[in-house]
Amino acid sequence: MKKNLLNILFISLSILTISGCSSNDESDPEVIVDPPVIVETDPLNTSNAATYLVDATATKETVALFYNLKKLAKTKFAIGQQAAFNSFYQDAGGDSDIKKNTGYDPAVLGSDFMFIADKQNNNQPGNWFYEEEVKIIADVKLAYSKGMINTFSWHLREPYKEETYNTSEMTSEQKTTAFKSILPGGAHHEWYKKKLDKIASVVSNLKDANGELIPIIFRPFHEFDGSWFWWGANFCSPEEYKTVYQFTVDYLKNTKNIHNILYALSPDRSYTTQADYLSRYPGDKYVDVLGMDNYGDFDNQGSTGASRANSKLKIISDLAKTKVKIAALTETGYQVTSRKSPITDWFSTYLYSALTSNNIEVSYVLFWNNTKDGYWVPNGTVSNAADFKTFSSKTKSALVNSLPKMYELPK
């Protein structure tokens, strides 16, 4: 029992610090942005919106979310945080830390399927993992009732012992065979399907007070260009990655009949060209959101890092225009702890510049979750609280109070 409790505590802590695994190499090559994209007219309209989604039979609320996110990017970006309703700096509780600071909740709530799909989740009250599932579902419903956007990542643990998603804790053999084993025909393909069955069960029961399905953005196998997760580029070929991603979408959409998901692709920040970004792209029929996770370019890199991040966002913004997709900074942040001091004007100058320069169109940005010992987003009591408040009140910034009705198509 003690070992199990320690494992649970380790898991809980590890998911809160996972972003630290991303690369922070400062010697980045130059980012090559292709010639400017010229879009004469925006082809997306309320009549044809459904045809641009991965799922042409998506619920009307899901179609509206896609349409409104795409249009939002022309004037604003939505600001979000992982586990905003349940993770607080210094365990303060109460309102989200963003609301404590600004008076408004975030526009985006990040959640994770990790505990929901855990082997120790027995779907029984009193089970720690099941209680986490209940809490996450309640948070998603609360966010939806407020008009917020819901997005899910998935820190799926390896198929052998299901103890970790970090390759640093896996054997060489496990690292080289784990992802391949979940391919169709692989030794753990049926195991993977059971995990997707659980996700499908949860997503198909995400309903509002009127019984309508709640749309979510799902980004499986994120930061796949790094080596810190077992689905990383060192452990599977581009074709193998595409095959599993495509299977995931097809299985949820066609086999399980789930029609309230937008699908996101989100590598880390290693790409420097459009070709790099598309090297593991599953195809236009499988991706709704072109994302990027980027911590390293903002890790005390000043205007140089912000400019580099902007160039990478420019690549996906341009792709999103030509492909009629959504572009997003799917994870970012600079964590302040007792050993890491705030960076002056990090939010209002560096991040804001990265999100808005060069006429890019980014629909949302997501910060990682606060913890007892550190924060990615300042509440109202810390020294850089004013910096975030300034950032959130800028012309192109949107908290929940600045969102349109995201789940209704304009008349």
Side-chain angles (χ1 to χ4, degrees):
M1 177 60 73
K2 181 177 180 182
K3 182 178 180 181
N4 286 340
L5 289 174
L6 288 173
N7 283 340
I8 290 172
L9 289 172
F10 170 76
I11 293 165
S12 301
L13 290 172
S14 64
I15 194 169
L16 299 178
T17 58
I18 188 62
S19 55
C21 296
S22 300
S23 171
N24 286 327
D25 182 10
E26 297 178 22
S27 56
D28 291 294
E30 181 184 359
V31 181
I32 307 300
V33 179
D34 286 7
V37 172
I38 300 175
V39 180
E40 296 294 342
T41 58
D42 186 349
L44 181 68
N45 59 55
T46 56
S47 299
N48 67 14
T51 65
Y52 288 102
L53 271 67
V54 166
D55 186 354
T57 59
T59 66
K60 65 181 188 299
E61 291 81 9
T62 307
V63 174
L65 177 60
F66 177 90
Y67 177 90
N68 287 316
L69 276 171
K70 181 66 176 169
K71 297 299 184 179
L72 180 72
K74 295 181 179 301
T75 56
K76 291 181 179 292
F77 57 84
I79 297 169
Q81 186 172 26
Q82 186 79 6
F85 296 152
N86 272 294
S87 297
F88 313 98
Y89 180 49
Q90 297 180 337
D91 290 341
D95 290 330
S96 66
D97 281 352
I98 287 180
K99 187 172 183 178
K100 291 188 183 84
N101 186 327
T102 66
Y104 300 102
D105 274 315
V108 185
L109 176 69
S111 301
D112 201 293
F113 285 121
M114 179 183 180
F115 298 139
I116 290 172
D118 192 273
K119 66 176 180 179
Q120 297 182 70
N121 184 345
N122 64 8
N123 301 310
Q124 298 298 315
N127 173 270
W128 186 87
F129 293 88
Y130 179 69
E131 295 300 330
E132 286 298 302
E133 175 183 329
V134 170
K135 187 187 302 180
I136 290 168
I137 291 172
D139 286 349
V140 169
K141 292 181 177 180
L142 176 61
Y144 185 73
S145 72
K146 291 173 178 280
M148 295 167 57
I149 302 148
N150 281 291
T151 179
F152 272 81
S153 53
W154 190 13
H155 290 88
L156 175 63
R157 290 197 286 281
E158 39 73 29
Y160 298 105
K161 297 182 179 180
E162 296 188 49
E163 291 180 347
T164 185
Y165 41 77
N166 287 320
T167 53
S168 61
E169 299 161 16
M170 297 169 64
T171 66
S172 295
E173 182 179 359
Q174 288 174 337
K175 285 187 284 191
T176 57
T177 58
F179 193 83
K180 299 175 190 297
S181 78
I182 67 171
L183 284 160
H188 293 103
H189 183 63
E190 292 303 314
W191 168 89
Y192 181 59
K193 284 167 65 175
K194 287 185 172 66
K195 297 297 183 185
L196 291 177
D197 288 344
K198 175 63 178 184
I199 287 177
S201 175
V202 169
V203 175
S204 65
N205 286 288
L206 283 177
K207 296 180 180 180
D208 67 8
N210 297 318
E212 299 294 337
L213 287 167
I214 297 171
I216 67 165
I217 299 168
F218 177 34
R219 53 189 193 98
F221 304 114
H222 66 299
E223 298 177 11
F224 52 83
D225 48 334
S227 60
W228 44 90
F229 297 141
W230 56 270
W231 52 86
N234 288 350
F235 315 115
C236 61
S237 70
E239 288 308 310
E240 288 168 339
Y241 182 86
K242 294 175 190 178
T243 297
V244 172
Y245 191 104
Q246 291 167 352
F247 173 82
T248 301
V249 174
D250 286 335
Y251 188 77
L252 290 173
K253 181 181 66 169
N254 302 327
T255 303
K256 305 303 292 187
N257 293 311
I258 304 301
H259 301 296
N260 52 322
I261 297 180
L262 297 177
Y263 295 91
L265 186 79
S266 59
D268 197 59
R269 67 187 184 99
S270 68
Y271 67 93
T272 56
T273 66
Q274 190 176 101
D276 285 346
Y277 185 87
L278 295 174
S279 63
R280 290 174 181 250
Y281 184 61
D284 291 347
K285 293 181 180 180
Y286 292 93
V287 178
D288 295 300
V289 179
L290 303 174
M292 169 182 67
D293 291 7
N294 192 341
Y295 294 89
D297 286 336
F298 296 106
D299 191 7
N300 210 16
Q301 303 299 305
S303 58
T304 299
S307 177
R308 197 160 52 227
N310 174 258
S311 295
K312 295 169 188 177
L313 287 171
K314 175 72 171 170
I315 289 173
I316 61 174
S317 172
D318 285 351
L319 281 170
K321 289 176 184 176
T322 57
K323 293 177 176 293
V324 193
K325 305 293 182 183
I326 293 160
L329 183 51
T330 42
E331 275 187 44
T332 195
Y334 178 82
Q335 189 183 35
V336 176
T337 66
S338 60
R339 295 181 298 277
K340 287 181 66 178
S341 299
I343 296 172
T344 302
D345 298 332
W346 187 90
F347 291 99
S348 60
T349 298
Y350 302 123
L351 180 60
Y352 189 79
S353 172
L355 288 165
T356 59
S357 298
N358 295 315
N359 299 311
I360 65 171
E361 296 180 6
V362 175
S363 294
Y364 66 91
V365 56
L366 185 80
F367 301 105
W368 205 240
N369 60 277
N370 290 353
T371 66
K372 178 182 179 181
D373 300 317
Y375 64 87
W376 301 91
V377 177
N379 60 22
T381 67
V382 294
S383 62
N384 61 335
D387 178 35
F388 181 81
K389 193 169 185 177
T390 298
F391 164 77
S392 67
S393 62
K394 281 180 171 284
T395 304
K396 293 190 175 182
S397 300
L399 295 174
V400 69
N401 62 303
S402 299
L403 288 182
K405 293 181 178 179
M406 298 301 291
Y407 303 100
E408 297 178 16
L409 287 173
K411 302 298 184 184

